[in-house]
Amino acid sequence: MPENRKPSVMLVDDEAMILTTIRTLLTVEADYEICTFTDPLAAVKHLDGNAVDIVVSDYMMPGLTGIEFLAESKRLQPEATRVLLTGHADKGSAIKAINEVGLFQYLEKPWDNDQLLLVIQQGLERSQLLRELRERISELDVAHSTLKSSQARLLKAFL
């Protein structure tokens, strides 16, 4: 993440009061760029053109379930951390989400504010590490190509 860019948090829940509550908590406790959506389809459109570091989604929403939405978010922004927030204590859904969308964390409503803040902070750190890893791999690919080219020129010079 560039030094001047704030970490970006996307919140998706069909209940506006939940979004307001979490947005207020994050605004008071941290300095994040926060975008909220009550419509998961609108959130998918936003993901298509805007970088997001972490996505926190409700499980039960009209239009798309949280798992379907998080699957789309993974497709569009694979390095963004995905968190599922649900009022339904369904371990089967949690396991499905972990397996299908690479879920980072599963939190039940009502959530503990300190736990939510910790999960978001850890998720942001995870996203940053994944981006740095991708950059390093890209640098290594360039260095490897340069080395292969140099080797080929040396062999050609001596043959």
Side-chain angles (χ1 to χ4, degrees):
M1 177 173 3
E3 293 297 321
N4 59 350
R5 186 171 85 77
K6 290 182 188 179
S8 177
V9 178
M10 174 183 273
L11 306 172
V12 185
D13 196 307
D14 58 319
E15 295 181 51
M17 183 57 79
I18 299 281
L19 296 174
T20 301
T21 301
I22 297 174
R23 176 190 278 279
T24 301
L25 173 68
L26 294 178
T27 301
V28 168
E29 296 292 332
D31 189 23
Y32 300 142
E33 187 71 35
I34 304 166
C35 56
T36 61
F37 294 89
T38 55
D39 177 4
L41 295 172
V44 168
K45 288 180 186 171
H46 180 83
L47 284 171
D48 199 21
N50 300 280
V52 173
D53 298 304
I54 187 168
V55 178
V56 179
S57 175
D58 186 25
Y59 177 67
M60 296 296 293
M61 298 181 290
L64 291 175
T65 67
I67 294 175
E68 292 167 336
F69 167 70
L70 290 172
E72 276 300 294
S73 75
K74 180 181 181 181
R75 183 182 67 78
L76 293 168
Q77 296 196 32
E79 293 164 355
T81 300
R82 291 165 296 284
V83 176
L84 189 64
L85 187 63
T86 182
H88 305 280
D90 179 0
K91 294 200 188 308
S93 296
I95 292 167
K96 181 177 179 184
I98 290 166
N99 292 333
E100 289 184 15
V101 302
L103 194 64
F104 176 69
Q105 189 77 27
Y106 179 91
L107 297 173
E108 292 181 18
K109 295 177 184 177
W111 63 87
D112 175 81
N113 283 344
D114 290 335
Q115 182 185 19
L116 179 61
L117 289 168
L118 182 62
V119 166
I120 289 174
Q121 180 59 41
Q122 290 173 339
L124 291 169
E125 290 170 4
R126 176 193 173 276
S127 292
Q128 178 63 27
L129 288 170
L130 284 172
R131 285 189 174 91
E132 289 174 8
L133 179 61
R134 179 183 37 84
E135 290 169 10
R136 298 302 171 261
I137 289 170
S138 180
E139 290 170 3
L140 285 171
D141 285 345
V142 169
H144 184 258
S145 294
T146 302
L147 180 60
K148 293 289 270 183
S149 175
S150 296
Q151 287 174 334
R153 284 194 310 272
L154 278 171
L155 284 173
K156 188 175 181 179
F158 288 105
L159 296 178

